[in-house]
Amino acid sequence: MDAEIFDQFLDQLERYVRERLIPAEKDVIANDAIPDDIVQEMKDMGLFGLTVPEEYGGAGLNITQYAKVVKTMAYAAPAYRSIFSINVGMFNSAIKNGGTDAQKAEWWPRIAAGEIACFGLTEPGSGSDSAAMATIARPDPDGNGWVLNGTKRYITNAPHASVGLIMARTEKDALPKNAHVSAFIVPMDTPGVTVGSPDHKMGQAGSHIADIMLDDVHVPGDALLGGETGKGFRFAMQSLDNGRISVGAASTGYARRALDSALRYANERKAFGEPIANFQLIQQMLAESWTEIYAAESMMADVTARVDRGENTIRHAAAFKVFASEMCGRVVDRVVQIYGGAGYLAEYDAERFFRDARIYRIYEGTTQILQLQIAKHMLREWAGSV
């Protein structure tokens, strides 16, 4: 998108977040759902197709612009970002990197128009360990398609999705590593697809995750992403790089919201006859939080610029996600501390910020898994230089 037009769009989005989305947060929390009219407004604004190429009905944002939108949306309750994040992040990335021309022509216009997508990688016994993946895709004996069986777990937007990108084992074992995994585009109304009840979560009210059960699900041959087996894990990892940038941007935006809340509270709350903002240890927590948010914003600018230049950013995306999500956890903890006893009460925002932020350190790769990934690439690079 043209830079000037994008800046105008971002200004409009910031107003929408503050004037429309934040005032509706109480309804989202009370009903554990985003109101239908707001979801439709978001579709009308083009949020579900931000990264889809313009010729397919999307906005054609680059990664730098996309991350700025995510950060802006993340200033409000996480559910608002969650409902469109898979469309513009992992699903779109997989279609872009691995989809055939026919798959792009079929699915890009549909997700840009607001059909909701989900991404099925995690299983009851398989998360970071792809070798343990149990979902199987076998050639359909009655045709040129495939038959899928298995269960996917913790799948964001599964209760609302009309399409899922499902990872499944097409070989018992294969070399090179992870070549046993293939990706399939599966309409969620396909016979044999069942979505479980939404899981009850610690936080992020209004966003939903659920299991997806696949019981003899027949899909045609053209459902295989890219038309080639053994590429699913690579497409998934490329998509997760995008997802990690999204989570990092969301963590940064939400940390800013929490800090702004603490700053306001510290100036309004009085103790010993003066605002607690005058106390140096309160100022220390505010200053540390601002500094860490600034660092995350700087990392975001760097990693997204690298992606837009076409660089390999596996390590940089992981590092950004690790730092930003851990930073957000530290910021919301300080915010509860600044609020004091009020921070432990549900009537104040601080305790919600604390609960909502906890998942950022877990999904799209836990901090610990990503630290291992960063170290692995460091050691591989060192070994290649000696």
Side-chain angles (χ1 to χ4, degrees):
M1 181 182 287
D2 175 80
E4 184 176 350
I5 294 175
F6 175 73
D7 288 342
Q8 293 172 357
F9 170 74
L10 202 62
D11 287 342
Q12 176 189 4
L13 188 64
E14 288 174 352
R15 291 194 299 273
Y16 181 71
V17 166
R18 285 163 173 75
E19 297 172 7
R20 178 66 166 135
L21 298 187
I22 290 176
E25 285 179 344
K26 289 184 178 180
D27 287 341
V28 172
I29 294 167
N31 299 309
D32 193 25
I34 303 172
D36 291 341
D37 57 341
I38 290 182
V39 174
Q40 187 58 52
E41 290 168 6
M42 292 168 63
K43 291 179 179 181
D44 293 342
M45 292 175 68
L47 294 178
F48 286 76
L50 290 171
T51 52
V52 173
E54 292 182 73
E55 59 267 32
Y56 290 92
L61 299 191
N62 61 30
I63 297 300
T64 297
Q65 294 170 333
Y66 158 64
K68 288 180 179 179
V69 169
V70 170
K71 176 174 169 286
T72 299
M73 286 292 294
Y75 194 83
Y80 297 122
R81 179 199 71 95
S82 182
I83 194 66
F84 72 87
S85 64
I86 306 300
N87 277 42
V88 300
M90 291 188 290
F91 188 88
N92 173 72
S93 178
I95 295 294
K96 176 184 177 181
N97 293 322
T100 64
D101 289 342
Q103 288 167 342
K104 292 173 181 176
E106 169 72 13
W107 290 105
W108 264 344
R110 293 176 64 169
I111 64 171
E115 290 194 37
I116 297 173
C118 63
F119 188 87
L121 176 63
T122 301
E123 298 184 359
S126 169
S128 303
D129 179 15
S130 70
M133 183 175 291
T135 297
I136 296 175
R138 294 189 174 93
D140 191 338
D142 299 324
N144 71 339
W146 298 85
V147 181
L148 278 65
N149 283 278
T151 299
K152 297 296 179 179
R153 176 147 294 173
Y154 309 138
I155 305 304
T156 300
N157 290 338
H160 314 293
S162 61
V163 61
L165 188 67
I166 305 298
M167 304 298 150
R169 179 186 292 270
T170 48
E171 301 284 348
K172 181 178 180 181
D173 294 296
L175 293 174
K177 185 180 179 182
N178 298 314
H180 61 283
V181 179
S182 301
F184 296 86
I185 304 172
V186 181
M188 297 297 284
D189 60 358
T190 303
V193 177
T194 305
V195 178
S197 300
D199 293 309
H200 297 287
K201 311 186 308 302
M202 175 189 292
Q204 302 214 359
S207 66
H208 300 128
I209 61 173
D211 288 1
I212 298 175
M213 284 70 74
L214 307 160
D215 184 14
D216 285 339
V217 176
H218 292 252
V219 295
D222 60 10
L224 176 64
L225 184 66
E228 186 177 356
T229 61
K231 303 295 186 182
F233 188 80
R234 178 165 63 86
F235 297 147
M237 292 303 100
Q238 290 172 336
S239 299
L240 283 173
D241 283 347
N242 186 296
R244 286 160 186 164
I245 290 173
S246 177
V247 173
S251 300
T252 306
Y254 207 48
R256 177 69 67 184
R257 167 75 181 282
L259 179 58
D260 286 350
S261 173
L263 186 61
R264 181 175 59 252
Y265 184 84
N267 278 283
E268 294 174 351
R269 174 76 167 90
K270 291 186 177 181
F272 306 101
E274 60 182 314
I276 64 172
N278 291 346
F279 302 152
Q280 289 181 332
L281 291 180
I282 297 294
Q283 293 174 5
Q284 179 191 31
M285 288 189 283
L286 293 172
E288 286 180 342
S289 297
W290 187 93
T291 301
E292 290 195 277
I293 293 170
Y294 174 58
E297 290 172 339
S298 299
M299 291 181 74
M300 185 178 90
D302 177 71
V303 68
T304 55
R306 289 175 181 271
V307 175
D308 287 333
R309 289 195 300 266
E311 297 180 19
N312 184 322
T313 56
I314 290 176
R315 194 192 316 177
H316 298 84
F320 172 49
K321 195 268 184 182
V322 167
F323 180 82
S325 63
E326 294 287 342
M327 172 277 295
C328 187
R330 291 190 293 270
V331 169
V332 296
D333 186 72
R334 293 185 196 114
V335 169
V336 171
Q337 197 70 12
I338 290 169
Y339 269 74
Y344 201 70
L345 301 181
E347 65 186 278
Y348 291 90
D349 288 335
E351 67 87 29
R352 169 166 64 93
F353 297 152
F354 187 86
R355 289 184 292 103
D356 286 346
R358 188 61 185 86
I359 189 62
Y360 289 141
R361 287 176 270 173
I362 297 174
Y363 60 12
E364 319 304 1
T366 66
T367 292
Q368 291 70 35
I369 284 292
L370 294 182
Q371 287 171 331
L372 292 177
Q373 184 186 80
I374 292 166
K376 180 183 73 175
H377 283 85
M378 291 171 62
L379 294 170
R380 182 184 299 165
E381 185 178 87
W382 180 85
S385 67
V386 296

